[in-house]
Amino acid sequence: MLIVTGATGQLGRLVVSHLLAHVPASRIGVSVRDSTKATDLAELGVRVRKADYGDPDSLIAAFEGAERILMVSSNAAATGGDTLEQHRTAIDAARK
């Protein structure tokens, strides 16, 4: 399964749209903070999992079955968060 994080953002949406043109929706999973914004993807057959870069357990669950993960960069710095720490958390979750 191919997993895309941040799939409801601008870049993530474009990536998922491109993937859908090349691979079956059943081979695509997305990790999003607000799953209600990804109902259209779920209706297409994309696996939608709610996860947050600040919640390692949610990331581990979202990444389950992944062959590859495209991690769209966090925008935590825009709100005073630690982008690098969030990325480390996501990478650690992907390793597990």
Side-chain angles (χ1 to χ4, degrees):
M1 178 162 293
L2 308 172
I3 306 292
V4 179
T5 69
T8 56
Q10 292 178 14
L11 176 59
R13 280 257 176 213
L14 289 172
V15 169
V16 172
S17 178
H18 182 76
L19 284 173
L20 286 167
H22 297 282
V23 298
S26 62
R27 294 234 20 221
I28 302 170
V30 297
S31 165
V32 297
R33 285 183 291 180
D34 182 353
S35 58
T36 64
K37 293 181 179 179
T39 55
D40 59 321
L41 297 175
E43 290 170 358
L44 293 172
V46 173
R47 185 184 81 179
V48 176
R49 298 264 172 99
K50 183 176 179 178
D52 188 289
Y53 283 149
D55 180 358
D57 290 336
S58 70
L59 292 167
I60 291 168
F63 296 165
E64 180 185 353
E67 297 167 35
R68 294 177 188 230
I69 299 170
L70 173 68
M71 188 177 80
V72 175
S73 183
S74 163
N75 66 349
T79 58
D82 187 342
T83 301
L84 291 178
E85 182 60 32
Q86 287 189 345
H87 290 175
R88 277 188 213 100
T89 300
I91 291 166
D92 289 344
R95 286 184 179 135
K96 291 180 181 175

